[in-house]
Amino acid sequence: DIPDLSSASASEITSFAKVVGYSYPVQFVKDPEGLFKEIRTGETVCDELLTVFFGPSETQLTTMEADTIFQTFTRLRKKGCIVREVAIIGFDDTSQTDWQATQTSRMRAESLKHDICRLGVDEFRVYLGWQGKNRLAKFTLDGVSESANRRATIRIAADKV
């Protein structure tokens, strides 16, 4: 039976979180609009943010980039962290048409998802996005090949157990 917490204080919400068994220390505070915001406390979060790069029109990682991902997941396991979710966003440069760049960035994200799932992360924990030519890391005019823009970002959210 969940109590009505609509008029509860931040400390009452925090106490309720402990009762219902949050798997990590948490505290709740009210923001200026009066909504509760969850704040994790203690050293329980093992988050990582990676950027990996691809060759022109490539959707598969180089061995060096794949090793970076493998080492990151190995380091998380050694620290006692369990992956909660992974968000992958693929990008491309401006050397292709909009449609081609969107498809290439989608295939990059999907390829990374496959690689990360092979490392033991459940498929339902991996979220994908793709940007095509949008959100360039380095501005270029249309039609320019730029290695800094052929990338994917990988955000790993993990909790220490």
Side-chain angles (χ1 to χ4, degrees):
D1 204 25
I2 297 175
D4 178 14
L5 299 172
S6 57
S7 61
S9 69
S11 63
E12 290 170 327
I13 295 284
T14 301
S15 296
F16 177 72
K18 290 176 186 170
V19 170
V20 297
Y22 266 63
S23 61
Y24 49 85
V26 65
Q27 179 180 3
F28 288 86
V29 295
K30 270 191 178 178
D31 67 15
E33 288 87 37
L35 302 173
F36 286 104
K37 179 179 178 182
E38 176 183 312
I39 299 176
R40 292 175 183 228
T41 59
E43 297 197 26
T44 59
V45 183
C46 307
D47 295 349
E48 294 277 346
L49 179 63
L50 303 169
T51 302
V52 293
F53 297 91
F54 296 84
S57 300
E58 293 293 322
T59 59
Q60 302 295 314
L61 289 176
T62 65
T63 301
M64 187 173 78
E65 296 287 4
D67 284 345
T68 299
I69 294 171
F70 176 77
Q71 291 168 6
T72 300
F73 279 90
T74 300
R75 186 174 57 254
L76 286 172
R77 281 190 200 100
K78 285 181 180 176
K79 286 174 26 178
C81 300
I82 295 179
V83 174
R84 185 171 10 95
E85 69 180 26
V86 177
I88 303 167
I89 302 176
F91 301 88
D92 199 14
D93 61 24
T94 63
S95 65
Q96 304 183 77
T97 66
D98 287 341
W99 185 85
Q100 289 170 320
T102 299
Q103 294 308 308
T104 300
S105 64
R106 178 187 57 80
M107 289 187 291
R108 287 177 177 153
E110 289 173 347
S111 172
L112 283 170
K113 178 178 182 176
H114 177 74
D115 292 344
I116 288 170
C117 289
R118 285 193 340 209
L119 293 174
V121 176
D122 292 327
E123 183 177 346
F124 70 90
R125 294 187 180 277
V126 182
Y127 302 93
L128 302 181
W130 45 89
Q131 292 291 314
K133 296 181 180 186
N134 298 316
R135 296 178 51 202
L136 299 174
K138 181 177 180 183
F139 174 78
T140 63
L141 297 175
D142 204 35
V144 176
S145 179
E146 172 54 53
S147 60
N149 293 329
R150 295 186 305 266
R151 70 195 193 284
T153 58
I154 305 166
R155 185 188 55 80
I156 305 165
D159 295 316
K160 191 163 182 135
V161 290

